[in-house]
Every structure is written in C-alpha cells, then in structure tokens.
C-alpha cells in the first residue's frame, strides 16, 4: 500500500508540474535509488524509486494523448477537418449513436491535406463507420472522412467528453465516409475475442429475460445488474438507485464481481473439489465474468483485487487486504496511469481501504448489543434467543461495513458529484443482500439454460424478476425519505454577489438559464430532456441547488422547455410561468406545453399578460422582478418562436432583456410600442428562420453587452454574421456560448461582471446611472444632447 501511495504521488507530480517530454533520466534515478535500497537494505529508498518510475510512465502516457501532435493540430480548428487514416480496427460495442456502428482504430498514419500535415505517431481514434456498414472484422483499413475532437464541456458539473476520451487513451474522433480494407492485422485475434465476448453477453441477456417479455423495464434492470447493459433501463429507475446511494447495485461494479466470487467459491466447494483447485477456478470465473460484461474498468479492477487477494491462499500465505489493494493498485496504474483520475478507481480503492480499516472497530463497538444475556448460560438459551443473537450479529456487521463504506465514499462523492446520501447507510443493508440473491438466481438460471432445463430456468427467471422488483421498490422507498439525498457545493463561490445568472451552453439551438438570488433559484427555460440529464441537472447539483422556486417557459419548443417534467419531478414542483398565448391554437396535443398543462395543477401554472410583473425578490437592498413585454393577446403566430415570451428583468440597478428565440415579429412590435426596452444586458437565442437582429431594435435596446446562445454546427442555430458586424461597429461586447462557453453574470450594486468559462473573457459593466452622472459632471452639454 505504501508503494501504491508513492506511485500516486509520482502521477500527481507529473500532472501538476508537467516534466519535459524527454524524461528518461527519471528511470536512471529510479535505478540508482533501487540499487541503493538493495545494497543498504533501507526499504524507504523504494518509495522515491517507485515514484520516479511512475513519473516516467505517466509522462509517456500523457505524450500519447494530451500532447499528441494530432490533438495539438485539431485544437486550432473550430470544425472537423478532412483526413485520411490508415490503421487497424477493433470493434467497440459500448458506443452507440443513431444506430451507427463504432470501432476503435489504432492509426499508424494520419494525413490532413488542408494543413499539409502527415502524422505517423500512433493514435487511438473512436471511429464511426459509414451508414449501413457493419463492423467488417478486425484488420488493417484505409478510411476517408472528417476528424475532430469531442467538444469539451464548459458547463459546471457536466461530463467532459474530451477529457474522458483522453483519459481512456482516445485522442480524437473520426467520421468515416468510405473505407477500404488493406489486409489483416496482428490484433485480429483480439478482435475475435471481443466479438466472442459480445456474443456471450447477448446469449446471457436472452437467457436471463426468457419469459419476462411482458415487463421490459424490469428485464432491463436485470440486464443492467447482471451485465452492465443499462441502455434499455428507464432513467427514472436509475435515478431512484442514485438518490438512495445504491447505484453500484444497479450497474455492474466491484460489488457484483465480489458477490460472484463468493457464490462461485461456495458452489465449487459443495462439489468436494480441493481448495486450491476451487480457488483457481473461481478466479477464472471472475475474470470471465469481467470480460463478458465488456471488461469495464470497475469489473476489471475488482477481478484483479479478488485474484490478488485469493492468490495468497494458493501459496499458503495469509492474505492481507491492505497488501492486496496496494498490489492491485500498482498493477492497474502501471497498465494505465490515467485510471487514477477516474471516479470509479478512486471509489473502489478508497471505499475498500477505509472499510477494511474502519469497519472492524465499529463492529467491536456494536458487539455488546449482539451477545446473549450474560447471566444466561449459552447451553440454556432457546433457539429463538440464539437466532435473535445471530440476527443482531449480522445486523451489526452489515451496519458497520455499510457505514464505513459510506464514510469512505463520502469525500469522493462530494468531490465528483457534490451529493450526500445519508440514507445509503441503511439502504445498502437491504439492497446488497437483495443483489446477492438476485445474482445467485442469475447464476442458477444460466446453469439451467446450459443444461437445457427450460422449466427450471423460467422459474428462476421469475424469482429473479421478483427480486428485481423488490430492489426497485426498496430503492424508490429509501430515495423518497426526507433528507435521503441532497446536494451542495463544497467550494464556496468567490463572489458574494446578491444575484448570479448563468447562461448554459446547449447544442442545436437549446437554451437554459439559471438565476440565483440569495437562497432562491429560478430557471429561464430548461433545455430538452437529454440535455437535462447531461447538462442541466449536473450543473444544478454541482451548484448546490436542492429546490427551484420557479421556472419561466419562453415558448412551446422542446429544445427550450422539453425537460420541464424532469424539473418538476426532481425539484418538488416549482411554480411555472408562461405567456397567455401558450400553447398555440395549432399546436399538437402531444406538444410539451399541452402535456404540461394537462399534468400541472392550476396552482403551479401561471399565465402572464403583457406588463404583468413577477416579484422574484423583495429584499430592500437588491430587489429583483420580471416584467412581461411580449406577446400580447393579439399575437396569434403559428410558429412558437414568433410568440416567444420576452421579459425585462430588473436586478437592483440592472436591466436584463431576455429575448429567448424571439425574432423579427417580436422586434418590430417592441420597436413600435411604447415599452421601455433599454437594457444593460441582452440575452438571446437563435430563431429557427430569422437570421439577424434588426439594427433598429439593437439601437433602441442599447445594451452594454449582448449574450447569445448558438451552435456553429447547425445552420439554423449559428450566430448571424450580421449581428457580429453590428455589435463590432457599435462597440458592444458580444459573448457567444459556442466560442466563449457558458457565461456567468455576477450582479453587484455598483458593477456587473461577465465571465466566460471556455475563453476566459472578463467584462465589467457599470450602471447606466453612474455612467450618466460621470458624463454629466465631465461635459454637461454632451449629457443634455444624449438625453
């Protein structure tokens, strides 16, 4: 374990200080320390030796991904570039999108004609094959298409696809238009191995769900727990396991591998097999299970842990969990140092380490409550008294282990997910035994299927179905308890601004904004359903948001309000505000707004008229309110964008004009009306058909800064070039989520700070009144003219 900690220190030192690419001298220094340790017998010299070896290993791994010439070239491009690659293909069964087949390519040669660049340094790429093309078998191929980096997330708390890809060894992504086979590959055997494992996984999935066709959701949960195939499982079910702190039970994890090892060893010992043979066969079964489930990092880690721990008994040595954990960590980090930065790696080793160190002491403290009456001789105890004592002993052991595991996981869960689930201590005492029974039924069902005992298999599958139902119901009950889980931000924000607005970056024209006023939280649009899970909810949780006071819905557009149902269920039914013109006369009965009106009670949904005001905060020092400017009762446009609600928000001395997707019709109406649309900040999204903001409207609004949500990959959602030219001519700062990332507005009584997450821009604005007063004092004539 000490050597593993030295390896961790070496990896972290490499990450923080970035040693030069030529760091072979670390190996030489390590050899010197190792020789000194062997000659002098001083074991402490092993620690710097191991740390330097891992500095060299991690620096080499970083050169293969983060500092790869291909990535450095693609970082300078703002869109995919045409390229030709030559390399070996292997199947990738875990990545699916739009029904397209994916593969992993170890490229040996990459040509980018536009840049005149030829790269012959090997790089691993995730390749999406042409439409309709199935994986042609492992081999050497030449592929033509476009190459690009996955887009890095600029939204706080959201999953960063680019960094994850680099940590898993994938430098870039490739969209293949056509491909040509060049010959066989030396890795063809590994490709055949992966395809065989996938066939095994599909066969197991089919056998486990036999006679369960009438309940696909529960069948999907069984597949997720047994094989890690969680794609078909309902998102709400997954959320219940997450909110009860038992998500490790829902998906394949080290828990499943450990339980399988216990089950396999128990069954093998019942056959009378010798101890050494049964342990060896159990280790083989554990590795086979990890491989069939897709060789996921969590399963692979657990397989190595089990193997190393059990190997001690094969050579008649007492196994030490601390030593086994350290040896497994060294082995895994030596194979891939980037695993250290994966939450699963940290949780696996952190939880096991702290559980092994703390559960024993906790159990000792609970032992007095498990013993029989000290004045009653054990021989005279009845079977009920002995059974009750054994039950208390089991409960004490389970509680102590669950509490130690929860304490061990707490710092990592807080750091990565900003969540706390106190109910997990009790929930795991129920869910883990149920998972053990469920996995036992799974193993017996597969044995029956192999022996063609269909009747027995069906009975076991139905027993498994009942256990899965019990697990779902238990997780839902625990998740529904008061205080079962909550979120908060451990890192206290550096700003003490009375109000903070965040414009999130969403793809394909979606929009979602969050306004924090003290302890209250308001949303302005929510994005669609998929973006709620990937962006909105992680952001809110990372910001410590546990309740939402209200949600303003701009118009009946799924990209803007499609996730409102998830918001209602996640944040305990906040108040909803929309315009009187929603939904439109010709809107479908299946549209988001119509379905929302059917399910939301009258006390939650509020329709706002023009000039109606909503008080968001009545604090005397910093009052916040919203005023509706558009649409009027006379607006009857068929397109939702043409009747999008326009709000003027007053935040202390600041005025924010929220346009959403409002386009030419709304702008002409507001310019012709008597409404005061002067603002400090104008926040807009892109109308599906209007490609520009009129100069007349921009001059009347007179914003100090314009904030836009756009997506350069989509013609309809791209930022209009005319708006860029107009703001440049007027000297108005233009901040765009596509180039600048998500934007945070910090409202102070005397200053407004605009900070972008991707580009790092920092714009500071002053209130109009203070600027006007300063101008008048300097030049009264100019002030009178401007008035």
């Amino acid at each position: 374990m000490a050597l593993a900690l030295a390896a961790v220190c070496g990896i972290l030192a490499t990450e923080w200080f970035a040693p030069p690419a030529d760091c072979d001298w670390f190996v030489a220094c390590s050899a010197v320390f190792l020789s000194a340790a062997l000659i002098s017998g001083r074991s402490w010299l092993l620690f710097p030796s191991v740390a330097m070896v891992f500095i060299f290993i991690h620096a080499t791994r970083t050169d293969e991904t983060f500092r790869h010439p291909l990535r450095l070239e693609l970082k300078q491009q703002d869109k995919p570039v045409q390229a030709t690659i030559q390399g070996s293909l292997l199947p990738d069964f875990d990545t699916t999108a739009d029904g397209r087949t994916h593969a992993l390519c170890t490229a040996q040669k990459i040509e980018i004609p536009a840049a005149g660049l030829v790269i012959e340094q090997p790089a691993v790429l995730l390749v999406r094959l042409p439409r309709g093309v199935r994986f042609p078998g492992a081999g050497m191929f030449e592929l033509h298409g476009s190459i690009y980096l996955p887009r890095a997330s600029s939204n706080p708390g959201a999953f960063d696809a680019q960094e994850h890809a680099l940590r898993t060894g994938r430098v870039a992504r490739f969209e293949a238009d056509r491909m040509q086979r060049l010959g066989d590959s030396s890795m063809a055997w590994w490709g055949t191995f992966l395809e065989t494992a996938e066939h095994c996984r599909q066969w197991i999935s089919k056998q486990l769900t036999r006679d369960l066709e009438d309940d696909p959701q529960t069948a999907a949960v069984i597949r997720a727990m047994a094989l890690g195939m969680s794609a078909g499982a309902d998102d709400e079910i997954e959320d219940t396991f997450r909110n009860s702190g038992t998500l490790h039970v829902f998906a394949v994890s080290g828990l499943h591998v450990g339980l399988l090892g216990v089950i396999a060893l128990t069954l093998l010992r019942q056959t009378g097999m010798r101890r050494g043979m049964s342990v060896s066969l159990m280790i083989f079964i554990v590795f086979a299970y990890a491989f069939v489930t897709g060789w996921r990092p969590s399963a692979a880690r657990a397989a190595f842990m089990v193997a190393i721990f059990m190997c001690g008994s094969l050579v008649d040595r007492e196994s030490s969990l601390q030593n086994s954990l350290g040896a497994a960590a060294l082995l895994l980090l030596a194979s891939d140092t980037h695993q250290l930065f994966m939450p699963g790696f940290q949780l696996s080793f952190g939880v096991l380490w702290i559980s092994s160190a703390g559960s024993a002491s906790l159990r000792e403290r609970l032992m007095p409550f498990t013993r029989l009456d000290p004045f009653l001789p054990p021989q005279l105890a009845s079977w009920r008294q002995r059974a009750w004592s054994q039950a208390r002993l089991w409960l004490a052991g389970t509680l102590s282990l669950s509490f130690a595991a929860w304490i061990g996981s707490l710092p990592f869960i807080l750091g990565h997910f900003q969540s706390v689930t106190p109910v997990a201590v009790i929930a795991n005492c129920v869910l883990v035994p149920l998972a053990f029974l469920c996995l036992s039924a799974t193993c017996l069902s597969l044995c029956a299927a192999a022996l063609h005992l269909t009747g027995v298999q069906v009975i076991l599958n139905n027993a498994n179905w009942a256990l899965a139902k019990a697990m779902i119901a238990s997780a839902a009950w625990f998740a529904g308890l008061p205080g079962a889980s909550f979120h908060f931000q451990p890192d206290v924000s550096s700003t003490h601004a009375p109000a903070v607005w965040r414009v999130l970056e969403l793809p394909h024209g979606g929009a979602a904004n969050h306004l924090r006023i003290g302890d209250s939280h308001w949303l302005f649009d929510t994005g669609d359903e998929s973006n709620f899970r990937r962006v909105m909810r992680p952001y809110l949780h990372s910001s410590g948001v546990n309740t939402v006071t209200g949600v303003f819905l701009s118009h009946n557009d799924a990209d803007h309000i499609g996730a409102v149902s998830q918001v209602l269920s996640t944040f305990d039914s906040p108040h909803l505000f929309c315009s009187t013109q929603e939904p439109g006369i010709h809107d479908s009965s299946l549209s988001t707004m119509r379905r929302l009106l059917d399910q939301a009670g009258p006390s939650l949904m509020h329709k706002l008229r023009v000039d109606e005001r909503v008080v968001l905060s009545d604090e005397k020092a910093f009052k916040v309110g919203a005023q509706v400017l558009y649409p009027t009762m006379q607006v009857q446009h068929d397109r939702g964008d043409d009747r999008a609600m326009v709000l003027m928000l007053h935040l202390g001395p600041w005025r924010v004009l929220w346009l959403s997707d409002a386009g030419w019709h709304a702008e002409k109406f507001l310019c012709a009306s008597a409404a005061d649309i002067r603002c400090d900040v104008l926040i807009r999204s892109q109308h599906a058909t209007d490609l520009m903001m009129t100069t007349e409207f921009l001059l009347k609004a007179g914003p100090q800064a314009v904030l836009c949500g756009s997506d350069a990959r989509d013609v309809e959602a791209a930022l209009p070039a005319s708006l860029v030219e107009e703001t440049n001519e007027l000297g108005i700062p233009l901040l765009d989520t596509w180039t600048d990332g998500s934007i945070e507005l910090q409202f102070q009584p005397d200053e407004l700070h605009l900070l972008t997450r991707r580009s790092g821009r920092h714009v500071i604005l002053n209130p109009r009144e203070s600027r006007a007063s300063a101008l008048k004092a300097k030049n009264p004539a100019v002030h009178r003219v401007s008035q």
Side-chain angles (χ1 to χ4, degrees):
M1 180 61 72
L3 293 178
L5 292 177
V8 169
C9 292
I11 295 171
L12 293 179
T14 309
E15 193 76 15
W16 291 335
F17 300 111
D22 185 14
C23 55
D24 294 345
W25 59 274
F26 278 105
V27 179
C29 292
S30 175
V32 171
F33 278 106
L34 180 60
S35 302
L38 294 175
I39 294 173
S40 65
R42 297 177 180 177
S43 58
W44 64 268
L45 291 173
L46 292 174
F47 303 143
S49 175
V50 170
M52 289 185 178
V53 166
F54 276 87
I55 288 176
F56 171 76
I57 295 174
H58 189 58
T60 303
R61 287 285 294 163
T62 303
D63 289 340
E64 295 173 354
T65 52
F66 284 85
R67 293 195 286 263
H68 195 282
L70 174 63
R71 178 175 182 265
L72 299 180
E73 172 64 27
L74 293 178
K75 284 181 67 176
Q76 303 175 14
Q77 308 291 337
D78 58 352
K79 60 183 179 180
V81 295
Q82 293 297 311
T84 301
I85 64 174
Q86 294 180 5
S88 59
L89 285 185
L90 288 174
D92 180 44
F93 297 108
D94 288 336
T95 305
T96 57
D98 301 330
R100 300 280 291 274
T101 302
H102 286 71
L104 289 177
C105 177
T106 304
Q108 304 298 331
K109 183 179 181 181
I110 304 170
E111 298 181 25
I112 304 178
L117 187 66
V118 178
I119 301 174
E120 295 187 349
Q121 180 178 334
V124 177
L125 310 176
L126 178 63
V127 176
R128 188 156 71 160
L129 302 184
R131 291 189 180 276
V133 176
R134 300 179 64 84
F135 183 72
M140 292 294 296
F141 290 85
E142 181 176 272
L143 300 98
H144 303 266
S146 56
I147 194 169
Y148 61 97
L149 294 177
R151 189 160 175 80
S153 173
S154 68
N155 299 302
F159 173 74
D160 193 330
Q162 186 175 128
E163 182 172 356
H164 177 76
L166 293 168
R167 294 294 185 192
T168 54
R170 302 172 183 182
V171 178
R173 293 181 180 177
F174 190 84
E175 183 86 17
D177 298 327
R178 64 184 190 277
M179 57 191 298
Q180 177 184 357
R181 191 181 189 95
L182 300 178
D184 295 331
S185 169
S186 59
M187 296 296 290
W189 64 272
W190 182 248
T192 303
F193 207 36
L194 293 175
E195 290 179 312
T196 302
E198 178 63 17
H199 291 320
C200 291
R201 182 159 55 161
Q202 295 299 332
W203 180 84
I204 293 173
S205 173
K206 181 179 179 180
Q207 300 305 320
L208 291 179
T209 55
R210 185 185 293 272
D211 198 47
L212 302 181
E213 293 80 8
D214 294 337
D215 191 352
Q217 286 301 326
T218 306
V221 171
I222 293 174
R223 284 195 296 267
M225 289 190 292
L227 296 170
M229 302 169 66
S230 58
D234 189 84
D235 292 337
E236 293 183 3
I237 294 177
E238 184 177 347
D239 290 341
T240 60
F241 281 94
R242 178 183 292 106
N243 294 334
S244 62
T246 57
L247 188 61
H248 58 284
V249 173
F250 175 78
V252 169
S253 64
L255 171 69
H256 296 74
V257 177
L259 292 178
L260 179 67
V262 173
I263 294 169
L265 191 59
T266 302
L267 293 176
L268 291 172
R269 285 180 176 175
Q270 297 303 316
T271 63
M273 190 179 297
R274 289 188 298 111
R275 179 169 169 242
M277 181 62 69
S278 61
V279 170
S280 300
L281 193 53
M282 183 270 287
I283 292 175
F284 172 79
I285 292 173
V286 163
F287 272 99
Y289 175 70
F291 183 75
V292 169
T293 55
W295 198 247
R296 285 171 170 75
S298 58
R301 284 192 299 267
F304 278 110
M305 290 181 194
V306 170
I308 292 174
F309 183 77
M310 297 304 297
C311 279
S313 62
L314 293 179
V315 293
D316 297 325
R317 296 293 297 272
E318 182 180 355
S319 296
S320 166
L321 185 58
Q322 298 279 343
N323 258 351
S324 300
L325 284 176
L330 280 172
L331 182 62
L332 292 169
L333 290 176
S335 64
D336 183 6
T337 54
H338 285 304
Q339 287 198 50
L340 178 63
F341 304 96
M342 298 295 182
F345 182 92
Q346 299 170 15
L347 283 168
S348 295
F349 285 95
V351 169
L352 280 175
W353 187 17
I354 296 178
S355 297
S356 63
S359 61
S361 60
L362 290 174
R363 185 175 179 181
E364 285 297 322
R365 292 179 178 272
L366 295 175
M367 286 303 293
F369 302 99
T370 66
R371 299 190 180 97
L372 291 169
D373 188 340
F375 296 100
L376 177 66
Q379 297 83 357
L380 300 180
S382 66
W383 68 270
R384 290 187 180 87
Q385 291 172 318
R386 288 194 295 271
W388 177 233
S389 176
Q390 290 297 319
R392 295 199 305 272
L393 182 63
W394 173 85
L395 182 62
T398 304
L399 273 176
S400 59
L401 184 60
S402 179
F403 184 76
W406 181 74
I407 291 294
S409 66
L410 188 59
F412 304 106
I413 295 293
L414 282 175
H416 291 291
F417 309 110
Q418 293 80 43
S419 66
V420 180
T421 53
V423 76
V425 177
I426 306 299
N428 277 301
C429 295
V430 176
L431 271 296
V432 172
L434 286 175
F436 178 81
L437 295 175
C438 192
L439 197 56
S440 300
T442 296
C443 295
L444 295 174
S445 174
L446 294 177
C447 291
L451 297 173
H452 301 286
L453 301 175
T454 306
V456 177
Q457 178 188 357
V458 169
I459 293 173
L460 290 169
N461 283 351
N462 281 274
N464 210 0
W465 173 87
L467 290 169
K469 279 287 190 182
M471 293 178 67
I472 296 171
S474 301
W477 187 81
F478 283 114
L481 293 176
S485 64
F486 54 91
H487 303 267
F488 72 98
Q489 175 58 271
D491 299 326
V492 179
S493 177
S494 59
T495 178
H496 298 287
V500 177
W501 183 297
R502 169 76 67 172
V503 180
L504 295 175
E505 178 193 5
L506 293 183
H508 311 304
N513 299 262
H514 167 235
L515 173 62
R516 176 186 64 79
I517 311 169
D519 294 329
S520 64
H521 301 272
W522 298 79
L523 301 181
F524 294 79
D525 283 346
T526 63
D528 63 16
E529 294 183 4
S530 62
N531 285 320
F532 178 78
R533 296 186 64 82
R534 295 188 299 105
V535 177
M536 190 67 172
R537 185 174 64 184
Y539 159 71
L540 293 174
H541 286 172
S542 69
S543 302
V545 178
N546 293 294
T547 59
V548 172
T549 307
V551 183
F552 287 87
L553 307 173
S554 61
H555 61 299
N556 196 7
D557 185 337
D559 287 332
H560 285 250
I561 67 170
V564 65
S565 297
Q566 284 86 340
V567 172
L568 290 174
S569 60
T570 304
F571 296 103
D572 196 20
S573 301
H575 291 281
L576 305 177
F577 301 90
C578 68
S579 76
T580 55
Q581 304 308 94
E582 295 295 346
I585 299 175
H586 300 290
D587 286 358
S588 168
S589 60
L590 299 178
S591 64
T592 303
M593 190 67 75
R594 286 198 182 276
R595 289 188 287 109
L596 181 62
L597 289 172
D598 292 337
Q599 73 180 75
S603 60
L604 294 178
M605 179 62 78
H606 306 273
K607 290 197 171 187
L608 303 176
R609 302 183 304 275
V610 168
D611 292 333
E612 191 167 354
R613 298 173 182 265
V614 179
V615 177
L616 307 186
S617 174
D618 56 358
E619 291 288 335
K620 293 183 178 180
F622 201 89
K623 293 186 177 181
V624 180
Q627 178 186 1
V628 181
L629 301 182
Y630 181 88
T632 63
M633 296 292 290
Q634 290 72 35
V635 173
Q636 297 294 336
H637 295 293
D638 290 339
R639 293 188 60 86
D641 288 1
D642 291 330
R643 59 174 190 271
M645 182 166 60
V646 177
L647 295 177
M648 176 66 75
L649 288 105
H650 302 265
L651 299 101
W654 305 99
R655 295 164 63 92
V656 175
L657 182 60
W658 183 59
L659 285 178
S660 185
D661 277 357
W664 185 84
H665 290 284
E667 293 176 11
K668 294 299 289 184
F669 174 87
L670 292 172
C671 287
S673 70
D676 184 5
I677 62 172
R678 292 176 302 164
C679 62
D680 297 290
V681 177
L682 188 152
I683 302 177
R684 68 182 293 275
S685 302
Q686 188 58 37
H687 192 290
T689 55
D690 287 359
L691 300 181
M692 62 178 293
M693 174 176 284
T694 61
T695 305
E696 177 189 11
F697 182 81
L698 196 59
L699 290 173
K700 184 173 182 179
Q704 298 189 61
V706 176
L707 279 54
C708 296
S710 70
D711 188 339
R713 298 168 296 186
D714 192 336
V715 175
E716 293 184 346
L719 186 68
S722 57
L723 178 59
V724 177
E725 296 173 0
E726 190 71 32
T727 52
N728 285 337
E729 291 179 3
L730 296 175
I732 301 175
L734 176 65
L735 283 68
D736 177 36
T737 57
W738 175 257
T739 55
D740 296 311
S742 65
I743 307 167
E744 183 178 80
L745 295 82
Q746 301 175 1
F747 293 91
Q748 302 279 4
D750 55 347
E751 284 185 339
L752 171 56
H753 294 255
L754 285 71
L755 300 95
T756 63
R757 191 172 176 90
R758 175 174 290 118
S759 62
R761 295 176 64 183
H762 186 184
V763 179
I764 302 177
L765 306 180
N766 295 315
R768 290 181 180 274
E769 290 78 3
S770 61
R771 292 192 301 112
S773 300
L775 184 61
K776 181 177 180 180
K778 184 177 180 180
N779 191 343
V782 172
H783 177 67
R784 284 195 294 271
V785 171
S786 66
Q787 291 246 354

